[in-house]
Amino acid sequence: MTQELNVLALIKGTERFIFVYDDDSKAALIDDIRDKAADPAVALNWFDAAVLTERVRNPQAEPDPADLLEE
């Protein structure tokens, strides 16, 4: 049986964030994305993290960034 992998990518200016994961590692990936957003040395911010983690949780849905903004 082959293992199915997912790819999630964000291109932000000159930075490239590419995550390859399987269904069993979704929670670890979400933690990793949050850790990167908390690190001031990484160009990933909390909005990026919110969009990416929503995409990990619900890969079939088209993300609407407006839904992630706090009013």
Side-chain angles (χ1 to χ4, degrees):
M1 176 182 242
T2 60
Q3 182 177 8
E4 197 169 307
L5 297 176
N6 306 295
V7 177
L8 179 65
L10 171 67
I11 298 171
K12 185 174 181 176
T14 60
E15 299 281 338
R16 307 288 188 263
F17 298 93
I18 301 170
F19 303 95
V20 179
Y21 63 99
D22 62 11
D23 289 341
D24 294 334
S25 62
K26 284 182 179 183
L29 174 60
I30 290 170
D31 288 343
D32 185 50
I33 291 170
R34 289 178 178 159
D35 290 344
K36 287 180 180 6
D39 185 346
V42 178
L44 194 72
N45 62 34
W46 286 108
F47 179 78
D48 300 330
V51 172
L52 291 170
T53 57
E54 178 59 26
R55 196 70 178 166
V56 171
R57 288 187 188 109
N58 192 4
Q60 302 303 329
E62 283 298 316
D64 183 358
D67 291 341
L68 300 170
L69 295 175
E70 292 182 320
E71 296 182 30

